[in-house]
Amino acid sequence: MRIKIHSVQVGRIAPLGPDAVPSGFVKQSVPYQVDVAKLGLIGDEQADLTVHGGPDKAVYGYAMQHYRTWRAEYPEHADALVPGGFGENLTVDGLVEDDVFVGDVHRIGSALVQVCQPRQPCFKLALHFHDKRLPKAMVKSGRAGWYYRVLEAGQLTAGDEVELVARPQHSFPLSRLITIINRNEATSAEIIALAAMPELAPGLRDFAQNRLRTCD
């Protein structure tokens, strides 16, 4: 199956929800070529840089295939459950969490990016949809998407193919990592591997190293 970028989204900081929380969650599809820098797509903004953005959350990818499932489960939100609806930068056609491995290097357009962690949804997801159930539902479903770090700046656009350039880790599909994080289920061997995995985002390596210390 040809893996490609279905759509590309960027967003500016704007008030979100009844309390007008500053957020870059709401994004708009762009039909033109976008520059990709070390901290993400040019024109995309994040409000709270303590938990969003940065080199290990530079570009957020989400599986286009998941939207059909979400619409079936939450038909009341069907109009908003469309590509870009979860605030992703790249809606990817042909990849889901079982197919994506920690450390995968993808060439998209002229940019080179690397999968480094899954998304952990926050309260802004609930604010966007006016539904407190959705963050917990995303965690439970495992349909979380993934963050890329940018290895080489470049340009990309909707329709570009996603080429797997390298897979340094073969033991950790993103779906397994999501289970470990959210359900606290892991073997000792898995925790040891994660603690030493250079491709994993530093915060999750710390998580694994803390687990090791706890088990000692």
Side-chain angles (χ1 to χ4, degrees):
M1 180 179 178
R2 181 172 176 256
I3 301 168
K4 66 178 183 178
I5 300 301
H6 174 80
S7 59
V8 178
Q9 288 81 220
V10 299
R12 298 290 189 181
I13 297 171
L16 181 67
D19 294 327
V21 176
S23 175
F25 186 101
V26 178
K27 302 190 186 299
Q28 302 297 323
S29 294
V30 290
Y32 48 81
Q33 195 171 60
V34 178
D35 290 322
V36 184
K38 285 292 184 179
L39 294 181
L41 306 188
I42 300 300
D44 192 47
E45 297 180 344
Q46 299 84 33
D48 185 354
L49 296 178
T50 63
V51 292
H52 297 292
D56 293 306
K57 293 182 180 177
V59 180
Y60 176 37
Y62 197 75
M64 188 182 79
Q65 285 80 352
H66 289 334
Y67 279 105
R68 180 180 298 176
T69 304
W70 284 113
R71 288 193 295 270
E73 293 174 349
Y74 295 89
E76 65 272 29
H77 299 311
D79 290 345
L81 288 167
V82 295
F86 284 123
E88 73 269 20
N89 299 115
L90 306 179
T91 309
V92 185
D93 185 7
L95 282 181
V96 296
E97 288 77 3
D98 285 337
D99 308 316
V100 178
F101 285 66
V102 177
D104 278 0
V105 177
H106 292 162
R107 175 74 68 183
I108 308 175
S110 60
L112 194 68
V113 295
Q114 183 174 46
V115 177
C116 55
Q117 63 182 311
R119 177 189 185 175
Q120 289 290 101
C122 71
F123 72 99
K124 292 178 182 178
L125 176 62
L127 291 180
H128 176 60
F129 286 94
H130 307 285
D131 193 329
K132 295 180 180 179
R133 299 172 296 171
L134 285 180
K136 187 176 292 186
M138 177 176 276
V139 168
K140 185 177 180 180
S141 71
R143 301 189 297 264
W146 53 92
Y147 281 108
Y148 289 112
R149 64 168 62 95
V150 178
L151 301 180
E152 293 179 9
Q155 296 178 316
L156 57 77
T157 188
D160 282 345
E161 291 197 21
V162 179
E163 176 192 358
L164 178 63
V165 175
R167 175 165 287 168
Q169 303 290 339
H170 294 267
S171 301
F172 277 96
L174 202 75
S175 55
R176 179 58 188 159
L177 180 56
I178 290 170
T179 297
I180 289 171
I181 294 169
N182 294 332
R183 299 182 185 176
N184 202 26
E185 297 176 1
T187 66
S188 297
E190 286 176 324
I191 292 298
I192 291 169
L194 288 171
M197 190 177 293
E199 300 85 4
L200 189 63
L204 289 182
R205 285 205 308 274
D206 290 344
F207 161 83
Q209 289 163 3
N210 289 336
R211 283 283 301 274
L212 285 178
R213 284 192 288 269
T214 301
C215 294
D216 287 344

